[in-house]
Tab-separated table of all heavy atoms in Angstrom:
chain	number	residue	atom	x	y	z
B	1319	GLY	N	70.752	8.244	18.532
B	1319	GLY	CA	70.372	9.340	17.647
B	1319	GLY	C	71.383	10.462	17.583
B	1319	GLY	O	71.140	11.473	16.964
B	1320	THR	N	72.513	10.308	18.255
B	1320	THR	CA	73.533	11.350	18.188
B	1320	THR	C	74.555	10.962	17.139
B	1320	THR	O	75.026	9.842	17.093
B	1320	THR	CB	74.250	11.523	19.543
B	1320	THR	OG1	74.859	10.291	19.899
B	1320	THR	CG2	73.277	11.951	20.617
B	1321	ASN	N	74.873	11.887	16.295
B	1321	ASN	CA	75.846	11.648	15.242
B	1321	ASN	C	77.058	12.545	15.386
B	1321	ASN	O	77.966	12.471	14.596
B	1321	ASN	CB	75.216	11.899	13.858
B	1321	ASN	CG	74.170	10.869	13.541
B	1321	ASN	OD1	74.289	9.726	13.955
B	1321	ASN	ND2	73.140	11.272	12.826
B	1322	HIS	N	77.055	13.402	16.346
B	1322	HIS	CA	78.154	14.325	16.538
B	1322	HIS	C	79.385	13.552	17.009
B	1322	HIS	O	79.285	12.507	17.632
B	1322	HIS	CB	77.746	15.388	17.558
B	1322	HIS	CG	78.647	16.582	17.593
B	1322	HIS	ND1	79.206	17.123	16.471
B	1322	HIS	CD2	79.072	17.336	18.628
B	1322	HIS	CE1	79.959	18.163	16.828
B	1322	HIS	NE2	79.886	18.301	18.123
B	1323	ALA	N	80.563	14.057	16.720
B	1323	ALA	CA	81.813	13.350	17.000
B	1323	ALA	C	81.966	12.996	18.477
B	1323	ALA	O	82.410	11.913	18.820
B	1323	ALA	CB	83.004	14.175	16.526
B	1324	ASN	N	81.568	13.880	19.370
B	1324	ASN	CA	81.718	13.585	20.792
B	1324	ASN	C	80.453	12.989	21.404
B	1324	ASN	O	80.427	12.659	22.578
B	1324	ASN	CB	82.165	14.826	21.571
B	1324	ASN	CG	81.178	15.977	21.437
B	1324	ASN	OD1	80.080	15.793	20.930
B	1324	ASN	ND2	81.593	17.144	21.897
B	1325	GLY	N	79.388	12.847	20.637
B	1325	GLY	CA	78.180	12.199	21.107
B	1325	GLY	C	77.320	13.044	22.013
B	1325	GLY	O	76.464	12.511	22.715
B	1326	ASP	N	77.524	14.354	22.059
B	1326	ASP	CA	76.785	15.209	22.979
B	1326	ASP	C	75.406	15.601	22.483
B	1326	ASP	O	74.569	16.011	23.260
B	1326	ASP	CB	77.586	16.491	23.270
B	1326	ASP	CG	78.805	16.195	24.113
B	1326	ASP	OD1	78.830	15.122	24.753
B	1326	ASP	OD2	79.727	17.024	24.105
B	1327	GLY	N	75.150	15.528	21.217
B	1327	GLY	CA	73.856	15.956	20.708
B	1327	GLY	C	73.768	15.720	19.219
B	1327	GLY	O	74.607	15.046	18.636
B	1328	PRO	N	72.738	16.244	18.605
B	1328	PRO	CA	72.600	16.047	17.165
B	1328	PRO	C	73.725	16.735	16.389
B	1328	PRO	O	74.329	17.692	16.866
B	1328	PRO	CB	71.246	16.662	16.830
B	1328	PRO	CG	70.859	17.468	17.998
B	1328	PRO	CD	71.638	16.990	19.178
B	1329	MET	N	73.982	16.221	15.216
B	1329	MET	CA	75.067	16.732	14.380
B	1329	MET	C	74.721	18.122	13.870
B	1329	MET	O	73.605	18.364	13.413
B	1329	MET	CB	75.265	15.786	13.191
B	1329	MET	CG	76.454	16.121	12.345
B	1329	MET	SD	76.641	15.085	10.873
B	1329	MET	CE	76.266	13.480	11.451
B	1330	PRO	N	75.662	19.062	13.946
B	1330	PRO	CA	75.417	20.397	13.407
B	1330	PRO	C	75.219	20.349	11.894
B	1330	PRO	O	75.695	19.448	11.215
B	1330	PRO	CB	76.682	21.174	13.764
B	1330	PRO	CG	77.413	20.363	14.752
B	1330	PRO	CD	76.952	18.961	14.608
B	1331	ASP	N	74.502	21.353	11.398
B	1331	ASP	CA	74.172	21.395	9.981
B	1331	ASP	C	75.424	21.485	9.112
B	1331	ASP	O	75.495	20.846	8.052
B	1331	ASP	CB	73.243	22.584	9.707
B	1331	ASP	CG	72.601	22.497	8.343
B	1331	ASP	OD1	72.252	21.365	7.938
B	1331	ASP	OD2	72.459	23.540	7.692
B	1332	GLU	N	76.414	22.235	9.543
B	1332	GLU	CA	77.638	22.390	8.762
B	1332	GLU	C	78.384	21.062	8.648
B	1332	GLU	O	78.874	20.697	7.581
B	1332	GLU	CB	78.542	23.441	9.408
B	1332	GLU	CG	79.821	23.699	8.639
B	1332	GLU	CD	80.658	24.777	9.301
B	1332	GLU	OE1	80.100	25.824	9.673
B	1332	GLU	OE2	81.870	24.543	9.433
B	1333	GLU	N	78.447	20.314	9.736
B	1333	GLU	CA	79.131	19.021	9.710
B	1333	GLU	C	78.367	18.022	8.838
B	1333	GLU	O	78.969	17.231	8.109
B	1333	GLU	CB	79.266	18.480	11.131
B	1333	GLU	CG	80.122	17.243	11.223
B	1333	GLU	CD	80.330	16.795	12.652
B	1333	GLU	OE1	80.258	17.642	13.568
B	1333	GLU	OE2	80.550	15.593	12.850
B	1334	ARG	N	77.054	18.079	8.862
B	1334	ARG	CA	76.226	17.207	8.030
B	1334	ARG	C	76.469	17.508	6.545
B	1334	ARG	O	76.569	16.595	5.728
B	1334	ARG	CB	74.752	17.384	8.373
B	1334	ARG	CG	73.858	16.404	7.649
B	1334	ARG	CD	72.398	16.554	8.006
B	1334	ARG	NE	72.172	16.518	9.446
B	1334	ARG	CZ	71.511	17.456	10.120
B	1334	ARG	NH1	71.015	18.504	9.497
B	1334	ARG	NH2	71.345	17.366	11.421
B	1335	GLN	N	76.584	18.787	6.206
B	1335	GLN	CA	76.852	19.181	4.823
B	1335	GLN	C	78.232	18.703	4.369
B	1335	GLN	O	78.390	18.277	3.231
B	1335	GLN	CB	76.748	20.706	4.670
B	1335	GLN	CG	75.329	21.221	4.708
B	1335	GLN	CD	74.542	20.764	3.502
B	1335	GLN	OE1	74.055	19.639	3.432
B	1335	GLN	NE2	74.427	21.648	2.536
B	1336	GLN	N	79.220	18.793	5.259
B	1336	GLN	CA	80.569	18.323	4.918
B	1336	GLN	C	80.573	16.820	4.657
B	1336	GLN	O	81.217	16.347	3.714
B	1336	GLN	CB	81.562	18.665	6.041
B	1336	GLN	CG	81.883	20.127	6.160
B	1336	GLN	CD	82.607	20.653	4.929
B	1336	GLN	OE1	83.330	19.940	4.251
B	1336	GLN	NE2	82.392	21.924	4.631
B	1337	MET	N	79.844	16.070	5.473
B	1337	MET	CA	79.765	14.620	5.274
B	1337	MET	C	79.040	14.293	3.968
B	1337	MET	O	79.424	13.373	3.249
B	1337	MET	CB	79.074	13.951	6.455
B	1337	MET	CG	79.934	13.920	7.704
B	1337	MET	SD	79.127	13.120	9.079
B	1337	MET	CE	78.929	11.475	8.453
B	1338	LYS	N	78.001	15.059	3.664
B	1338	LYS	CA	77.265	14.837	2.421
B	1338	LYS	C	78.153	15.128	1.217
B	1338	LYS	O	78.158	14.366	0.241
B	1338	LYS	CB	76.010	15.706	2.380
B	1338	LYS	CG	75.179	15.473	1.145
B	1338	LYS	CD	73.914	16.302	1.153
B	1338	LYS	CE	73.121	16.082	-0.117
B	1338	LYS	NZ	71.887	16.847	-0.151
B	1339	LEU	N	78.917	16.204	1.269
B	1339	LEU	CA	79.829	16.532	0.172
B	1339	LEU	C	80.905	15.456	-0.009
B	1339	LEU	O	81.281	15.122	-1.132
B	1339	LEU	CB	80.476	17.898	0.390
B	1339	LEU	CG	79.577	19.103	0.122
B	1339	LEU	CD1	80.292	20.392	0.494
B	1339	LEU	CD2	79.148	19.131	-1.329
B	1340	GLN	N	81.369	14.899	1.109
B	1340	GLN	CA	82.362	13.824	1.029
B	1340	GLN	C	81.760	12.579	0.384
B	1340	GLN	O	82.391	11.932	-0.453
B	1340	GLN	CB	82.898	13.492	2.429
B	1340	GLN	CG	83.985	12.442	2.428
B	1340	GLN	CD	85.212	12.891	1.666
B	1340	GLN	OE1	85.563	14.062	1.642
B	1340	GLN	NE2	85.874	11.956	1.016
B	1341	ARG	N	80.520	12.244	0.738
B	1341	ARG	CA	79.843	11.096	0.115
B	1341	ARG	C	79.614	11.346	-1.369
B	1341	ARG	O	79.764	10.442	-2.189
B	1341	ARG	CB	78.522	10.809	0.815
B	1341	ARG	CG	78.676	10.131	2.155
B	1341	ARG	CD	77.347	9.633	2.671
B	1341	ARG	NE	76.340	10.687	2.700
B	1341	ARG	CZ	75.892	11.291	3.798
B	1341	ARG	NH1	76.357	10.938	4.961
B	1341	ARG	NH2	74.978	12.231	3.725
B	1342	LEU	N	79.242	12.582	-1.725
B	1342	LEU	CA	79.030	12.906	-3.134
B	1342	LEU	C	80.322	12.798	-3.930
B	1342	LEU	O	80.326	12.329	-5.068
B	1342	LEU	CB	78.426	14.302	-3.278
B	1342	LEU	CG	76.980	14.469	-2.831
B	1342	LEU	CD1	76.567	15.934	-2.916
B	1342	LEU	CD2	76.055	13.602	-3.653
B	1343	LYS	N	81.430	13.211	-3.327
B	1343	LYS	CA	82.719	13.124	-4.004
B	1343	LYS	C	83.105	11.666	-4.226
B	1343	LYS	O	83.595	11.301	-5.308
B	1343	LYS	CB	83.785	13.838	-3.172
B	1343	LYS	CG	85.119	13.947	-3.845
B	1343	LYS	CD	86.079	14.762	-3.012
B	1343	LYS	CE	87.421	14.875	-3.696
B	1343	LYS	NZ	88.385	15.628	-2.909
B	1344	THR	N	82.869	10.815	-3.246
B	1344	THR	CA	83.146	9.389	-3.393
B	1344	THR	C	82.281	8.775	-4.479
B	1344	THR	O	82.767	8.000	-5.317
B	1344	THR	CB	82.893	8.664	-2.055
B	1344	THR	OG1	83.705	9.253	-1.044
B	1344	THR	CG2	83.211	7.190	-2.160
B	1345	CYS	N	81.017	9.136	-4.492
B	1345	CYS	CA	80.106	8.627	-5.527
B	1345	CYS	C	80.514	9.109	-6.908
B	1345	CYS	O	80.425	8.356	-7.879
B	1345	CYS	CB	78.671	9.045	-5.223
B	1345	CYS	SG	77.952	8.177	-3.820
B	1346	GLN	N	80.971	10.338	-7.004
B	1346	GLN	CA	81.409	10.869	-8.291
B	1346	GLN	C	82.606	10.080	-8.818
B	1346	GLN	O	82.686	9.787	-10.009
B	1346	GLN	CB	81.762	12.347	-8.152
B	1346	GLN	CG	82.129	12.999	-9.459
B	1346	GLN	CD	82.444	14.481	-9.303
B	1346	GLN	OE1	82.732	14.949	-8.204
B	1346	GLN	NE2	82.381	15.212	-10.386
B	1347	THR	N	83.523	9.711	-7.943
B	1347	THR	CA	84.672	8.911	-8.347
B	1347	THR	C	84.227	7.537	-8.836
B	1347	THR	O	84.687	7.054	-9.876
B	1347	THR	CB	85.658	8.770	-7.175
B	1347	THR	OG1	86.064	10.060	-6.742
B	1347	THR	CG2	86.874	7.955	-7.574
B	1348	LEU	N	83.320	6.907	-8.111
B	1348	LEU	CA	82.818	5.592	-8.513
B	1348	LEU	C	82.079	5.661	-9.846
B	1348	LEU	O	82.218	4.774	-10.700
B	1348	LEU	CB	81.899	5.033	-7.432
B	1348	LEU	CG	82.573	4.590	-6.139
B	1348	LEU	CD1	81.538	4.315	-5.057
B	1348	LEU	CD2	83.420	3.359	-6.388
B	1349	ILE	N	81.296	6.708	-10.033
B	1349	ILE	CA	80.559	6.879	-11.291
B	1349	ILE	C	81.532	7.080	-12.453
B	1349	ILE	O	81.348	6.512	-13.537
B	1349	ILE	CB	79.578	8.056	-11.181
B	1349	ILE	CG1	78.446	7.706	-10.219
B	1349	ILE	CG2	79.011	8.440	-12.531
B	1349	ILE	CD1	77.602	8.893	-9.805
B	1350	THR	N	82.582	7.861	-12.233
B	1350	THR	CA	83.575	8.089	-13.273
B	1350	THR	C	84.262	6.784	-13.667
B	1350	THR	O	84.451	6.504	-14.856
B	1350	THR	CB	84.613	9.118	-12.810
B	1350	THR	OG1	83.935	10.330	-12.470
B	1350	THR	CG2	85.648	9.396	-13.881
B	1351	VAL	N	84.621	5.986	-12.682
B	1351	VAL	CA	85.260	4.696	-12.968
B	1351	VAL	C	84.317	3.807	-13.771
B	1351	VAL	O	84.717	3.166	-14.745
B	1351	VAL	CB	85.692	4.003	-11.649
B	1351	VAL	CG1	86.084	2.559	-11.889
B	1351	VAL	CG2	86.831	4.763	-11.009
B	1352	ALA	N	83.049	3.785	-13.384
B	1352	ALA	CA	82.078	2.945	-14.088
B	1352	ALA	C	81.837	3.438	-15.513
B	1352	ALA	O	81.760	2.631	-16.449
B	1352	ALA	CB	80.763	2.907	-13.312
B	1353	LEU	N	81.729	4.752	-15.685
B	1353	LEU	CA	81.460	5.289	-17.021
B	1353	LEU	C	82.651	5.147	-17.971
B	1353	LEU	O	82.473	5.090	-19.186
B	1353	LEU	CB	81.040	6.759	-16.931
B	1353	LEU	CG	79.628	7.008	-16.425
B	1353	LEU	CD1	79.381	8.494	-16.231
B	1353	LEU	CD2	78.602	6.413	-17.368
B	1354	ILE	N	83.846	5.108	-17.445
B	1354	ILE	CA	85.025	4.900	-18.286
B	1354	ILE	C	85.277	3.406	-18.493
B	1354	ILE	O	85.619	2.966	-19.591
B	1354	ILE	CB	86.263	5.591	-17.674
B	1354	ILE	CG1	86.083	7.105	-17.750
B	1354	ILE	CG2	87.543	5.164	-18.385
B	1354	ILE	CD1	87.154	7.886	-17.034
B	1355	GLY	N	85.078	2.617	-17.453
B	1355	GLY	CA	85.365	1.182	-17.534
B	1355	GLY	C	84.448	0.412	-18.462
B	1355	GLY	O	84.880	-0.535	-19.121
B	1356	ALA	N	83.182	0.798	-18.543
B	1356	ALA	CA	82.227	0.051	-19.373
B	1356	ALA	C	82.596	0.092	-20.857
B	1356	ALA	O	82.728	-0.963	-21.488
B	1356	ALA	CB	80.813	0.564	-19.131
B	1357	PRO	N	82.795	1.266	-21.460
B	1357	PRO	CA	83.151	1.246	-22.886
B	1357	PRO	C	84.547	0.699	-23.160
B	1357	PRO	O	84.770	0.064	-24.189
B	1357	PRO	CB	83.051	2.707	-23.321
B	1357	PRO	CG	82.787	3.509	-22.129
B	1357	PRO	CD	82.526	2.610	-20.989
B	1358	VAL	N	85.475	0.926	-22.248
B	1358	VAL	CA	86.819	0.393	-22.443
B	1358	VAL	C	86.778	-1.134	-22.424
B	1358	VAL	O	87.476	-1.796	-23.194
B	1358	VAL	CB	87.797	0.959	-21.383
B	1358	VAL	CG1	89.116	0.217	-21.389
B	1358	VAL	CG2	88.025	2.433	-21.621
B	1359	SER	N	85.947	-1.711	-21.568
B	1359	SER	CA	85.843	-3.171	-21.522
B	1359	SER	C	85.269	-3.729	-22.811
B	1359	SER	O	85.596	-4.845	-23.210
B	1359	SER	CB	84.981	-3.607	-20.332
B	1359	SER	OG	83.615	-3.340	-20.572
B	1360	LEU	N	84.423	-2.957	-23.487
B	1360	LEU	CA	83.915	-3.396	-24.788
B	1360	LEU	C	85.013	-3.368	-25.846
B	1360	LEU	O	85.050	-4.214	-26.734
B	1360	LEU	CB	82.747	-2.521	-25.233
B	1360	LEU	CG	81.440	-2.719	-24.476
B	1360	LEU	CD1	80.416	-1.690	-24.926
B	1360	LEU	CD2	80.911	-4.118	-24.676
B	1361	LEU	N	85.906	-2.392	-25.756
B	1361	LEU	CA	86.984	-2.287	-26.738
B	1361	LEU	C	88.013	-3.396	-26.585
B	1361	LEU	O	88.483	-3.954	-27.574
B	1361	LEU	CB	87.674	-0.924	-26.627
B	1361	LEU	CG	86.837	0.280	-27.046
B	1361	LEU	CD1	87.604	1.554	-26.774
B	1361	LEU	CD2	86.465	0.187	-28.520
B	1362	ILE	N	88.359	-3.728	-25.349
B	1362	ILE	CA	89.378	-4.748	-25.136
B	1362	ILE	C	88.778	-6.116	-24.857
B	1362	ILE	O	89.508	-7.089	-24.735
B	1362	ILE	CB	90.348	-4.352	-24.004
B	1362	ILE	CG1	89.616	-4.248	-22.670
B	1362	ILE	CG2	91.085	-3.085	-24.335
B	1362	ILE	CD1	90.534	-4.060	-21.485
B	1363	GLY	N	87.477	-6.200	-24.750
B	1363	GLY	CA	86.825	-7.476	-24.526
B	1363	GLY	C	87.069	-8.029	-23.140
B	1363	GLY	O	87.289	-9.224	-22.969
B	1364	GLY	N	87.027	-7.196	-22.149
B	1364	GLY	CA	87.334	-7.639	-20.806
B	1364	GLY	C	86.110	-7.832	-19.939
B	1364	GLY	O	85.435	-6.875	-19.572
B	1365	VAL	N	85.813	-9.090	-19.633
B	1365	VAL	CA	84.701	-9.381	-18.741
B	1365	VAL	C	85.014	-8.873	-17.333
B	1365	VAL	O	84.144	-8.330	-16.656
B	1365	VAL	CB	84.389	-10.896	-18.732
B	1365	VAL	CG1	83.302	-11.230	-17.739
B	1365	VAL	CG2	83.992	-11.358	-20.115
B	1366	ALA	N	86.266	-9.025	-16.919
B	1366	ALA	CA	86.648	-8.596	-15.565
B	1366	ALA	C	86.489	-7.079	-15.405
B	1366	ALA	O	85.990	-6.611	-14.376
B	1366	ALA	CB	88.086	-9.007	-15.272
B	1367	LEU	N	86.884	-6.320	-16.420
B	1367	LEU	CA	86.750	-4.865	-16.343
B	1367	LEU	C	85.289	-4.441	-16.349
B	1367	LEU	O	84.894	-3.525	-15.626
B	1367	LEU	CB	87.503	-4.196	-17.497
B	1367	LEU	CG	87.498	-2.668	-17.534
B	1367	LEU	CD1	88.075	-2.087	-16.249
B	1367	LEU	CD2	88.273	-2.173	-18.735
B	1368	SER	N	84.472	-5.122	-17.137
B	1368	SER	CA	83.047	-4.761	-17.156
B	1368	SER	C	82.378	-5.119	-15.832
B	1368	SER	O	81.494	-4.400	-15.366
B	1368	SER	CB	82.332	-5.420	-18.329
B	1368	SER	OG	82.327	-6.820	-18.200
B	1369	ILE	N	82.803	-6.206	-15.203
B	1369	ILE	CA	82.251	-6.559	-13.889
B	1369	ILE	C	82.712	-5.548	-12.842
B	1369	ILE	O	81.925	-5.143	-11.974
B	1369	ILE	CB	82.635	-8.000	-13.505
B	1369	ILE	CG1	81.870	-8.976	-14.392
B	1369	ILE	CG2	82.359	-8.273	-12.036
B	1369	ILE	CD1	82.261	-10.426	-14.216
B	1370	ALA	N	83.963	-5.113	-12.917
B	1370	ALA	CA	84.452	-4.100	-11.976
B	1370	ALA	C	83.688	-2.791	-12.144
B	1370	ALA	O	83.326	-2.141	-11.151
B	1370	ALA	CB	85.943	-3.872	-12.175
B	1371	SER	N	83.406	-2.402	-13.397
B	1371	SER	CA	82.636	-1.176	-13.606
B	1371	SER	C	81.197	-1.350	-13.138
B	1371	SER	O	80.591	-0.405	-12.620
B	1371	SER	CB	82.692	-0.742	-15.068
B	1371	SER	OG	81.987	-1.637	-15.886
B	1372	LEU	N	80.652	-2.544	-13.272
B	1372	LEU	CA	79.297	-2.804	-12.775
B	1372	LEU	C	79.242	-2.715	-11.254
B	1372	LEU	O	78.306	-2.139	-10.692
B	1372	LEU	CB	78.809	-4.170	-13.253
B	1372	LEU	CG	77.401	-4.575	-12.836
B	1372	LEU	CD1	76.371	-3.614	-13.407
B	1372	LEU	CD2	77.107	-5.999	-13.276
Side-chain angles (χ1 to χ4, degrees):
T1320 59
N1321 292 327
H1322 194 38
N1324 59 10
D1326 290 341
M1329 187 184 318
D1331 194 38
E1332 182 178 314
E1333 188 175 334
R1334 186 179 307 127
Q1335 286 293 80
Q1336 289 295 330
M1337 288 181 63
K1338 183 178 178 179
L1339 285 175
Q1340 183 62 33
R1341 285 191 306 254
L1342 289 175
K1343 187 175 180 181
T1344 303
C1345 289
Q1346 184 179 19
T1347 302
L1348 289 169
I1349 291 167
T1350 302
V1351 168
L1353 285 174
I1354 292 173
V1358 169
S1359 73
L1360 288 174
L1361 292 175
I1362 64 172
V1365 176
L1367 182 58
S1368 65
I1369 290 174
S1371 69
L1372 181 62

